[in-house]
PDB file of all heavy atoms in Angstrom:
ATOM      1  N   LYS A   3       6.543  -0.229 -15.960  1.00 81.00           N
ATOM      2  CA  LYS A   3       5.509  -1.167 -15.526  1.00 81.00           C
ATOM      3  C   LYS A   3       5.835  -1.601 -14.102  1.00 81.00           C
ATOM      4  O   LYS A   3       6.923  -2.083 -13.800  1.00 81.00           O
ATOM      5  CB  LYS A   3       5.471  -2.387 -16.439  1.00 81.00           C
ATOM      6  CG  LYS A   3       4.383  -3.359 -16.032  1.00 81.00           C
ATOM      7  CD  LYS A   3       4.046  -4.288 -17.161  1.00 81.00           C
ATOM      8  CE  LYS A   3       2.983  -5.268 -16.765  1.00 81.00           C
ATOM      9  NZ  LYS A   3       1.642  -4.711 -16.866  1.00 81.00           N
ATOM     10  N   GLN A  11       5.227  -8.139  -1.980  1.00 97.00           N
ATOM     11  CA  GLN A  11       6.217  -9.082  -1.424  1.00 97.00           C
ATOM     12  C   GLN A  11       7.287  -8.332  -0.651  1.00 97.00           C
ATOM     13  O   GLN A  11       7.743  -8.807   0.401  1.00 97.00           O
ATOM     14  CB  GLN A  11       6.847  -9.920  -2.544  1.00 97.00           C
ATOM     15  CG  GLN A  11       5.893 -10.949  -3.128  1.00 97.00           C
ATOM     16  CD  GLN A  11       5.337 -11.883  -2.072  1.00 97.00           C
ATOM     17  OE1 GLN A  11       6.047 -12.442  -1.265  1.00 97.00           O
ATOM     18  NE2 GLN A  11       4.016 -12.037  -2.073  1.00 97.00           N
ATOM     19  N   ALA A  21      -0.890  -7.998   6.215  1.00 97.00           N
ATOM     20  CA  ALA A  21      -1.419  -8.113   4.863  1.00 97.00           C
ATOM     21  C   ALA A  21      -1.072  -6.865   4.091  1.00 97.00           C
ATOM     22  O   ALA A  21      -1.000  -5.777   4.661  1.00 97.00           O
ATOM     23  CB  ALA A  21      -2.937  -8.315   4.896  1.00 97.00           C
ATOM     24  N   HIS A  55      13.120   0.818   4.148  1.00 97.00           N
ATOM     25  CA  HIS A  55      13.193  -0.618   3.890  1.00 97.00           C
ATOM     26  C   HIS A  55      12.743  -0.935   2.468  1.00 97.00           C
ATOM     27  O   HIS A  55      13.410  -1.682   1.758  1.00 97.00           O
ATOM     28  CB  HIS A  55      12.306  -1.363   4.900  1.00 97.00           C
ATOM     29  CG  HIS A  55      12.203  -2.826   4.677  1.00 97.00           C
ATOM     30  ND1 HIS A  55      13.204  -3.698   5.053  1.00 97.00           N
ATOM     31  CD2 HIS A  55      11.227  -3.563   4.083  1.00 97.00           C
ATOM     32  CE1 HIS A  55      12.841  -4.927   4.709  1.00 97.00           C
ATOM     33  NE2 HIS A  55      11.642  -4.880   4.128  1.00 97.00           N
TER      34      HIS A  55
END
Side-chain angles (χ1 to χ4, degrees):
K3 182 161 179 82
Q11 289 304 311
H55 175 79

